Amino acid sequence: MDFTRRQGSCGSLWTGTQAVGLVALLATVLTGCGEADGGSTGPNPAPGVSTGVVRVTTVTTGPTPDPDGYTVALDGGSSQAVAANATILFPDIEVGDHVVELLGATSNCVPESGNEQTVSVPARDTVAVTFVLSCKLALRDKILFASRAQGSSVFDLQVMDPDGSNRQLLPTDPVENRLPTASPDGTIIAFHKRVVETQIHLINADGSNDVNLTPDGIADFQPAWSPDGSKLAFSTFRDGNSEIYVMESDGSGAINLTAHPANDFEPSWSPDGSRIAFSTIRDGGFEIYVMGSDGSNPVNISNNPADDFEPDWSPNGTRIAFASDRSGNFDIFTMLPDGSNSTNLTNNGIPDFSPAWSPDGTQLVFRSDSAGRADIWVMGAGGANPTNLTSDLQTPDNLDPTWTR
């Protein structure tokens, strides 16, 4: 027989043109390289035999889906971004059980089956995971305000876009509804309602599900959300004079922060939640103070013989907007959190009040009174381009503007 000897990578390999040569070749391939080459004596698995694929699909419903989508993490490690309605793949995942977690959903979007699922990955196959999220209405980058018709005692709550368009009247009881402010996630509106005395109420962003948080028969007013949405600061006369209190967002655990015989009003949280600015008459006229969020270390930062009030902290924490008559007219000012570097933004001879920052800190919304009516205006953070947003409304009293985050 015609045999030849060939040197292979796994040692000497005999081949030939006869059947016996083919048998020898097949035996060598099936058993792999022998111990003479230092390799394994067992079979080599084909690629993909011990791995599979995880396919993740997101399905998002509701009026305000998450604008930025989500992040999907596998076993707390490998992660991918995914849109609100999309499918992504995790290839070459080891066979066995794995935890798939959905992260980064805004608080108005809730996964129906939770944000974590455990799946078993099969060999050379695909396992499917679906996260279905339902998103409640959230007011993002909107302006809330109160409005009253001529001669009426009823104040309604309205919402509009920052350019004054798309105005919507929120369904509220026909009483005085004032000083609306949206929760940081935009799903809930706190405001004060006066039937007999003013009380702090909550409604959903569409006006539904009215809940009275302070049914104590005492005047509670001027609610302000903490940056994380867990608490509300507010003004109240429950101690005989106006004090600043803080309570949980469900109305429980109310604590007096100011405990001072003079009247304190208009709380505004710093963006990091560590401090609260407020107005007070404890030094005679209206001044703006800053204290710790637990009521500690109150400090007069305006310290001006004029009346300074209605503080609102900028989103980045570097400025406080406020109303003041230190120019001889009520104007909108800003200052540093220590009270220095005050700047008059309006200075137009017309009374201006109630400043509130836009979410990005580039604009301010405020109320301006002229020609027998009050309107909602916006301007740049430095006072440029003041624009009337409500001049076409039939309601002559448009008050209490706030800008949702």
Side-chain angles (χ1 to χ4, degrees), residues 149-173:
Q150 182 72 44
S152 175
S153 61
V154 174
F155 276 90
D156 296 310
L157 301 182
Q158 296 198 47
V159 60
M160 63 182 171
D161 288 345
D163 62 359
S165 62
N166 295 322
R167 295 192 199 104
Q168 297 179 35
L169 189 67
L170 295 174
T172 52
D173 293 334

Side-chain angles (χ1 to χ4, degrees), residues 54-61 66 68-88 90 98-119 129-135:
V54 178
R55 183 176 66 234
V56 181
T57 299
T58 53
V59 178
T60 304
T61 63
D66 193 315
D68 302 319
Y70 320 110
T71 298
V72 177
L74 193 65
D75 298 325
S78 175
S79 64
Q80 294 186 47
V82 61
N85 292 281
T87 296
I88 57 174
F90 287 86
H98 295 270
V99 176
V100 184
E101 189 176 9
L102 186 76
L103 305 170
T106 52
S107 58
N108 68 304
C109 296
V110 179
E112 293 181 357
S113 300
N115 69 334
E116 191 175 287
Q117 298 185 40
T118 299
V119 296
V129 179
T130 300
F131 289 99
V132 178
L133 296 94
S134 177
C135 298

Side-chain angles (χ1 to χ4, degrees), residues 117-141:
Q117 298 185 40
T118 299
V119 296
S120 183
V121 175
R124 290 181 293 183
D125 205 347
T126 298
V127 62
V129 179
T130 300
F131 289 99
V132 178
L133 296 94
S134 177
C135 298
K136 296 192 299 183
L137 176 65
L139 300 176
R140 296 191 181 121
D141 196 21

Side-chain angles (χ1 to χ4, degrees), residues 321-338:
F322 63 103
S324 176
D325 66 350
R326 56 178 67 183
S327 64
N329 176 67
F330 287 107
D331 285 309
I332 305 302
F333 286 73
T334 65
M335 61 181 169
L336 296 178
D338 63 1

Side-chain angles (χ1 to χ4, degrees), residues 185-206:
D185 67 0
T187 62
I188 301 173
I189 299 169
F191 64 104
H192 78 230
K193 175 189 290 189
R194 182 194 296 273
V195 178
V196 178
E197 289 288 355
T198 55
Q199 308 283 271
I200 307 298
H201 284 244
L202 299 181
I203 53 176
N204 291 333
D206 61 2

Side-chain angles (χ1 to χ4, degrees), residues 81-364:
V82 61
N85 292 281
T87 296
I88 57 174
L89 300 177
F90 287 86
D92 299 324
I93 303 303
E94 183 180 347
V95 168
D97 290 345
H98 295 270
V99 176
V100 184
E101 189 176 9
L102 186 76
L103 305 170
T106 52
S107 58
N108 68 304
C109 296
V110 179
E112 293 181 357
S113 300
N115 69 334
E116 191 175 287
Q117 298 185 40
T118 299
V119 296
S120 183
V121 175
R124 290 181 293 183
D125 205 347
T126 298
V127 62
V129 179
T130 300
F131 289 99
V132 178
L133 296 94
S134 177
C135 298
K136 296 192 299 183
L137 176 65
L139 300 176
R140 296 191 181 121
D141 196 21
K142 303 284 187 180
I143 292 174
L144 286 165
F145 64 102
S147 63
R148 179 175 65 173
Q150 182 72 44
S152 175
S153 61
V154 174
F155 276 90
D156 296 310
L157 301 182
Q158 296 198 47
V159 60
M160 63 182 171
D161 288 345
D163 62 359
S165 62
N166 295 322
R167 295 192 199 104
Q168 297 179 35
L169 189 67
L170 295 174
T172 52
D173 293 334
V175 294
E176 178 187 310
N177 304 284
R178 294 281 307 274
L179 291 163
T181 177
S183 59
D185 67 0
T187 62
I188 301 173
I189 299 169
F191 64 104
H192 78 230
K193 175 189 290 189
R194 182 194 296 273
V195 178
V196 178
E197 289 288 355
T198 55
Q199 308 283 271
I200 307 298
H201 284 244
L202 299 181
I203 53 176
N204 291 333
D206 61 2
S208 64
N209 194 32
D210 189 322
V211 176
N212 186 350
L213 291 187
T214 58
D216 51 19
I218 300 170
D220 304 308
F221 53 106
Q222 297 171 338
W225 291 94
S226 63
D228 64 0
S230 67
K231 292 179 171 58
L232 283 160
F234 62 103
S235 304
T236 178
F237 276 94
R238 58 183 65 185
D239 293 298
N241 63 301
S242 182
E243 302 277 10
I244 306 298
Y245 270 59
V246 67
M247 63 182 170
E248 300 298 317
S249 60
D250 63 0
S252 64
I255 299 172
N256 187 341
L257 297 183
T258 47
H260 193 279
N263 289 324
D264 302 312
F265 309 93
E266 301 168 339
S268 174
W269 296 78
S270 64
D272 64 1
S274 66
R275 292 177 288 174
I276 295 175
F278 63 100
S279 62
T280 179
I281 59 171
R282 58 181 66 183
D283 296 311
F286 277 93
E287 299 280 6
I288 294 174
Y289 272 57
V290 169
M291 63 179 171
S293 59
D294 60 357
S296 62
N297 193 32
V299 176
N300 184 345
I301 64 166
S302 56
N303 200 23
N304 192 287
D307 285 332
D308 302 313
F309 54 101
E310 296 183 324
D312 190 67
W313 223 301
S314 66
N316 64 7
T318 61
R319 305 287 291 181
I320 294 175
F322 63 103
S324 176
D325 66 350
R326 56 178 67 183
S327 64
N329 176 67
F330 287 107
D331 285 309
I332 305 302
F333 286 73
T334 65
M335 61 181 169
L336 296 178
D338 63 1
S340 64
N341 193 26
S342 65
T343 304
N344 188 342
L345 301 185
T346 48
N347 199 25
N348 53 21
I350 299 171
D352 300 312
F353 306 93
S354 307
W357 294 90
S358 64
D360 62 4
T362 63
Q363 293 179 284
L364 284 158

